[in-house]
C-alpha cells in the first residue's frame, strides 16, 4: 500500500500519487506516459487523469507497480483495472500486467497457443491474475529468459503444473528444480513455432524465445528506445559485453517483427527486413 506520509512533493494536486518507495522501474511511465513522469530518479504524477481511458491506464499502472508505490484509489475501480490483465498486445501475445519487485518490475508475457499457453518470465503471482490465466487455458510452458526474472516461478509451477525452461548457466539454488535446463549455445526447438535462442551477455545463461518467427522475447538482452530504435545496455551487462554483442549479431539469422523485452520499450517493425535493418544499425553503432 502506498503511504500518504511518503507522498512525493512533485505529484500534481489530486487523489493519485506516487510515494517515495518507487524503484524507478518505468512501468507506470510506459503504461500511462501522459500521467506519470520522472524526477530525481523516481516516478510521480505529472497530472491527474481526466478521461475514462486515462483513469483506466493510470489505475492499470497502480496495480502493475511492483512496489505498490502508487496510491489514491481503491475498491471497485482498482478491481476493474486488475481485471484487464492479461492485456492483449498483438496476436496471441499478452502483457500479464502485474510486475514482481524481485525481478525489478520486469514484464511477463502470456502467449496463447492451441498446443498450450506459454508464459515468458514470471509475473507477480497474485490470485486474481492467476485465475484469469487459468480461464485462458492455463500455462504449459514457463520460459525464463534469465536468472533475474524468475520471481514466482515455483508458485506458477505449483498452480499450473507447467514445465519451466531456463538455461543451465543461469540456474541457481532457487531454480535447481527447473524441469528443462538448456545447455550450450545452439538454438533449441521447444515445440512447433517455439525456438529458444541462447544470447549470453547480460547474464551467462540469457536466452531469447522466438515464437512463430514473429515475436522475439528478449529478457534484458535487447529492447527499444523511445524513438523505436533498438538498444542494449552496457551498464546493465552482468556477464560479458563482448558476448552480448556477438549474441546480438546471431539474431540476424532469425526472422521476427517484434522485440518484447523484460525491461524497456517494445519494438515493432512492418517486416522482418525492417527489424533486421534496426539490428544492423545497432550493431554498427556499437562497433563505432
Ligand atoms: S511502477 Fe511503481 S516502482 Fe515502477 S516507476 Fe512507477 S511508481 Fe515506481
Amino acid at each position: 500500500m502506498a503511504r500518504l506520509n511518503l507522498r512525493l512533493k512533485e505529484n500534481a494536486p489530486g487523489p493519485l500519487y506516487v510515494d517515495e518507495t518507487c524503484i524507478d522501474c518505468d512501468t507506470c511511465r510506459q503504461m500511462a506516459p501522459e500521467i506519470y513522469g520522472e524526477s530525481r530518479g523516481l516516478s510521480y504524477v505529472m497530472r491527474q487523469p481526466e478521461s475514462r481511458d486515462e483513469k483506466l491506464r493510470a489505475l492499470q499502472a497502480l496495480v502493475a507497480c511492483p512496489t505498490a508505490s502508487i496510491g489514491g484509489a481503491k475498491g471497485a475501480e482498482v478491481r476493474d483495472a486488475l481485471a484487464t490483465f492479461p492485456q492483449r498486445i498483438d496476436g496471441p501475445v499478452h502483457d500479464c500486467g502485474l510486475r514482481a519487485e524481485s525481478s525489478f518490475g520486469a514484464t511477463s508475457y502470456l502467449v496463447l497457443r492451441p498446443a498450450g499457453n506459454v508464459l515468458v518470465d514470471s509475473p507477480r503471482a497474485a490470485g486474481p491474475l492467476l485465475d484469469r490465466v487459468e480461464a485462458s487455458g492455463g500455462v504449459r510452458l514457463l520460459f525464463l529468459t534469465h536468472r533475474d526474472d524468475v520471481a514466482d516461478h515455483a508458485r506458477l509451477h505449483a498452480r499450473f503444473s507447467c514445465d519451466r525452461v531456463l538455461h543451465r548457466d543461469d540456474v541457481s539454488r532457487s531454480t535447481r528444480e527447473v524441469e528443462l535446463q538448456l545447455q550450450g549455445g545452439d538454438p533449441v526447438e521447444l515445440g512447433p513455432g517455439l525456438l529458444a535462442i541462447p544470447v549470453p551477455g547480460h547474464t551467462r545463461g540469457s536466452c531469447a524465445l522466438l515464437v512463430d518467427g514473429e515475436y522475439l522475447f528478449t529478457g534484458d538482452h535487447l529492447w527499444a528506445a523511445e524513438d523505436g530504435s533498438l538498444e542494449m545496455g552496457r551498464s546493465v551487462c552482468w556477464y560479458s559485453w563482448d558476448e552480448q554483442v556477438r549474441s546480438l549479431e546471431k539474431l540476424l539469422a532469425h526472422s521476427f517483427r517484434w522485440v518484447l523485452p523484460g525491461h524497456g520499450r517494445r519494438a515493432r517493425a512492418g517486416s522482418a527486413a525492417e527489424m533486421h535493418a534496426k539490428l544492423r544499425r545497432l550493431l554498427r553503432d556499437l562497433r563505432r
Side-chain angles (χ1 to χ4, degrees):
M1 284 278 286
R3 287 167 50 190
L4 259 176
N5 62 328
L6 300 180
R7 178 181 172 126
L8 294 168
K9 63 178 172 30
E10 288 90 344
N11 290 295
L16 196 68
Y17 67 94
V18 178
D19 76 15
E20 59 189 48
T21 61
C22 167
I23 58 170
D24 194 26
C25 73
D26 197 35
T27 297
C28 56
R29 302 193 298 267
Q30 289 181 35
M31 288 186 170
E34 73 282 33
I35 302 299
Y36 300 98
E38 186 270 332
S39 171
R40 298 185 293 128
L42 299 170
S43 283
Y44 71 101
V45 174
M46 289 189 298
R47 69 170 176 82
Q48 297 291 326
E50 290 168 6
S51 69
R52 202 184 159 117
D53 178 58
E54 282 182 353
K55 182 109 192 238
L56 175 61
R57 282 184 294 108
L59 295 188
Q60 285 172 327
L62 180 147
V63 297
C65 177
T67 46
S69 303
I70 304 174
K74 58 186 178 182
E77 58 183 1
V78 172
R79 284 195 297 277
D80 289 349
L82 180 56
T84 62
F85 294 119
Q87 185 179 41
R88 187 169 171 272
I89 298 170
D90 185 73
V93 179
H94 295 68
D95 181 341
C96 288
L98 277 58
R99 306 326 196 218
E101 184 174 5
S102 63
S103 57
F104 199 73
T107 303
S108 165
Y109 300 94
L110 177 69
V111 189
L112 300 182
R113 297 181 65 75
N117 298 336
V118 177
L119 197 56
V120 180
D121 289 328
S122 170
R124 179 166 21 109
L129 174 66
L130 301 195
D131 291 346
R132 287 177 58 81
V133 170
E134 179 121 50
S136 300
V139 180
R140 184 178 70 81
L141 207 64
L142 170 54
F143 186 86
L144 300 166
T145 57
H146 66 297
R147 63 191 311 151
D148 301 335
D149 293 351
V150 300
D152 291 335
H153 72 95
R155 286 184 60 197
L156 294 162
H157 172 70
R159 170 76 184 251
F160 298 112
S161 302
C162 52
D163 285 340
R164 294 162 287 184
V165 185
L166 179 64
H167 196 286
R168 181 161 290 182
D169 288 340
D170 265 19
V171 169
S172 63
R173 202 178 163 135
S174 78
T175 48
R176 65 187 166 198
E177 289 179 0
V178 160
E179 289 70 30
L180 181 50
Q181 299 184 12
L182 305 174
Q183 296 185 62
D186 293 331
V188 176
E189 197 171 330
L190 300 173
L194 295 176
L195 190 69
I197 307 171
V199 286
H202 170 70
T203 61
R204 189 171 180 164
S206 284
C207 280
L209 178 68
L210 179 59
V211 176
D212 295 336
E214 184 86 348
Y215 305 101
L216 187 72
F217 298 90
T218 52
D220 291 349
H221 174 64
L222 177 70
W223 59 88
E226 283 189 30
D227 65 2
S229 63
L230 294 176
E231 259 187 351
M232 295 197 317
R234 194 168 193 151
S235 64
V236 289
C237 174
W238 315 135
Y239 172 58
S240 162
W241 183 246
D242 288 346
E243 281 238 34
Q244 193 165 343
V245 174
R246 277 196 290 277
S247 295
L248 183 69
E249 190 164 19
K250 283 197 303 187
L251 291 179
L252 285 168
H254 305 280
S255 291
F256 52 93
R257 281 195 320 111
W258 281 81
V259 167
L260 297 134
H263 292 106
R265 314 275 156 143
R266 298 163 195 148
R268 175 173 51 172
S271 65
E274 193 185 310
M275 186 57 86
H276 274 190
K278 286 175 188 269
L279 267 182
R280 278 194 292 270
R281 216 170 296 137
L282 175 57
L283 277 164
R284 187 195 60 209
D285 291 348
L286 293 172
R287 286 177 177 141
R288 268 190 187 148

